[in-house]
């Protein structure tokens, strides 16, 4: 299934009837590829169990990414990412509605570089903690919970979090960036296929120092080798592992991880 005009509308229609209820993502997962490499399917496994979810790349490495809510492509759609922008290198993620009668969630993943540091950013609604006196001016109310939009970013790293995965020494960490609505959308001016930043490595160190205290919520790294068909390992950590950020956030974290992995595979297989 391609994700052009009519097909994209059909995917949106299917996702509109999908639900975040029942989405259960293990705290630790491994991404495996089809042994032939020609079928362009990826499987999320919990340790060495049967696949939990399946990603389909119907147009090959350079096309859309579709997540099915089960171990085969015969299961209903659960999320989709399609190319956007004139160059086709932008990334628009579509998730099921937060609640009955609502529209599907759509969010662009933004990419930029700070010296050696790669950054992929997105915003997504998360539940607002039910604390007395907490300000909820920027919140939106659904039939089940109150949410607010926060911004998160995947950042390339060689830190301890990635090394604890026992895969490649270099990987990615997902951290909280902004917890208020205006700040969450502060980078909407970025191009979805932004060119590399030419500020040099000093900009990377300065940016990392600025966000050094931000909570890390998930990590992933490429597998050490391809003999086992394992492509990468992913793990929720800290607040990301408790479920308190909600199903939409957890699903977005996993989908964005696989999309970033797909984008870098495009460079390798050229």
């Amino acid at each position: 299934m391609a994700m052009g005009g009519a097909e994209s509308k059909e995917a949106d229609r299917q996702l509109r009837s999908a639900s975040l209820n029942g989405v259960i993502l293990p705290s630790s997962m491994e991404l495996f590829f089809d042994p032939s490499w020609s079928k362009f399917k990826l499987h999320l496994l919990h340790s060495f169990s049967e696949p939990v979810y399946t990603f389909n790349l119907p147009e090959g490495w350079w096309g859309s990414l579709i997540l099915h809510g089960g171990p085969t492509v015969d299961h209903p759609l659960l999320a989709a990412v399609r190319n956007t922008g004139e160059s086709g290198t932008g990334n628009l993620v579509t998730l099921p509605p937060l609640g009955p009668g609502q529209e599907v969630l759509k969010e662009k993943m933004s990419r930029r570089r700070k010296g050696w540091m790669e950054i992929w950013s997105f915003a997504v609604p998360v539940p607002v903690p039910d604390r007395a006196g907490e300000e909820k001016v920027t919140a939106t109310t659904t039939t089940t919970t109150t949410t607010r939009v926060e911004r998160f970013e995947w950042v390339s790293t060689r830190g301890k979090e990635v090394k604890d995965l026992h895969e490649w020494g270099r990987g990615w960490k997902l951290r909280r960036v902004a917890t208020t609505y205006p700040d969450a959308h502060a980078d909407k001016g970025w191009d979805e296929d932004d060119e590399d930043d030419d500020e040099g490595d000093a900009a990377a160190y300065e940016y990392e120092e600025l966000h050094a205290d931000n909570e890390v919520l998930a990590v992933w790294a490429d597998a050490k080798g391809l003999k086992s068909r394992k492509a990468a390992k992913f793990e929720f950590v800290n607040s990301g592992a408790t479920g308190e950020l909600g199903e939409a956030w957890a699903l977005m974290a996993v989908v964005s991880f696989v999309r970033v992995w797909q984008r870098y595979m495009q460079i390798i297989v050229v």
Side-chain angles (χ1 to χ4, degrees):
M1 179 174 60
M3 288 285 283
E7 294 83 358
S8 179
K9 290 180 181 178
E10 173 59 19
D12 281 3
R13 185 192 68 78
Q14 292 187 42
L15 287 170
R16 194 174 297 117
S17 61
S19 174
L20 291 169
N21 293 331
V23 175
I24 300 174
L25 294 165
S27 59
S28 180
M29 290 169 281
E30 295 177 343
L31 183 69
F32 279 70
F33 55 85
D34 189 278
S36 70
W37 279 97
S38 62
K39 296 180 181 179
F40 299 109
K41 292 183 179 63
L42 304 165
H43 305 287
L44 274 178
L45 279 69
H46 183 198
S47 298
F48 293 101
S49 65
E50 291 296 313
V52 180
Y53 297 107
T54 292
F55 286 92
N56 188 22
L57 286 73
E59 303 154 81
W61 290 114
W62 290 268
S64 306
L65 179 71
I66 299 174
L67 174 61
H68 292 266
T72 72
V73 295
D74 295 326
H75 285 80
L77 269 65
L78 190 55
V81 191
R82 64 180 177 87
N83 298 338
T84 59
E86 293 182 3
S87 63
T89 55
N91 308 275
L92 180 65
V93 183
T94 305
L95 302 180
L98 286 178
Q102 298 192 26
E103 288 299 312
V104 294
L105 293 173
K106 292 190 176 184
E107 173 61 25
K108 288 181 178 179
M109 293 171 58
S110 303
R111 172 191 173 273
R112 62 175 175 172
R113 181 193 290 269
K114 287 285 187 181
W116 51 263
M117 182 185 293
E118 293 276 357
I119 304 169
W120 291 78
S121 177
F122 62 84
V124 68
V126 300
V128 176
D130 186 16
R131 298 191 185 104
E134 175 159 345
E135 185 178 355
K136 297 184 180 181
V137 174
T138 61
T140 58
T141 302
T142 71
T143 57
T144 58
T145 189
T146 302
T147 64
R148 67 184 176 202
V149 177
E150 295 191 22
R151 177 155 292 277
F152 306 87
E153 62 183 16
W154 283 110
V155 182
S156 57
T157 179
R158 295 179 183 271
K160 181 181 182 300
E161 302 96 339
V162 167
K163 293 178 181 178
D164 286 346
L165 293 177
H166 304 295
E167 300 295 340
W168 283 108
R170 180 180 176 87
W172 298 77
K173 60 184 177 183
L174 179 64
R175 63 188 177 192
R176 206 175 215 144
V177 181
T179 59
T180 60
Y181 186 87
D183 292 335
H185 290 274
D187 67 353
K188 281 297 185 181
W190 294 358
D191 291 334
E192 56 249 34
D193 52 352
D194 201 6
E195 294 297 324
D196 289 350
D197 195 319
D198 61 0
E199 295 177 353
D201 288 352
Y205 290 111
E206 181 180 351
Y207 189 82
E208 186 65 13
E209 183 177 354
L210 178 64
H211 295 283
D213 295 331
N214 290 49
E215 183 183 15
V216 175
L217 304 166
V219 292
W220 73 270
D222 290 324
K224 289 181 178 179
L226 299 181
K227 293 182 180 179
S228 66
R229 298 189 288 116
K230 184 168 69 172
K233 185 173 182 180
F234 173 98
E235 187 172 300
F236 288 113
V237 296
N238 300 320
S239 295
T242 66
E244 63 191 78
L245 295 174
E247 292 86 354
W249 175 86
L251 191 58
M252 186 69 173
V254 171
V255 171
S256 60
F257 136 60
V258 179
R259 184 60 165 185
V260 173
W261 181 88
Q262 178 192 0
R263 285 302 192 191
Y264 283 94
M265 281 301 299
Q266 293 170 4
I267 299 173
I268 295 174
V269 300
V270 168

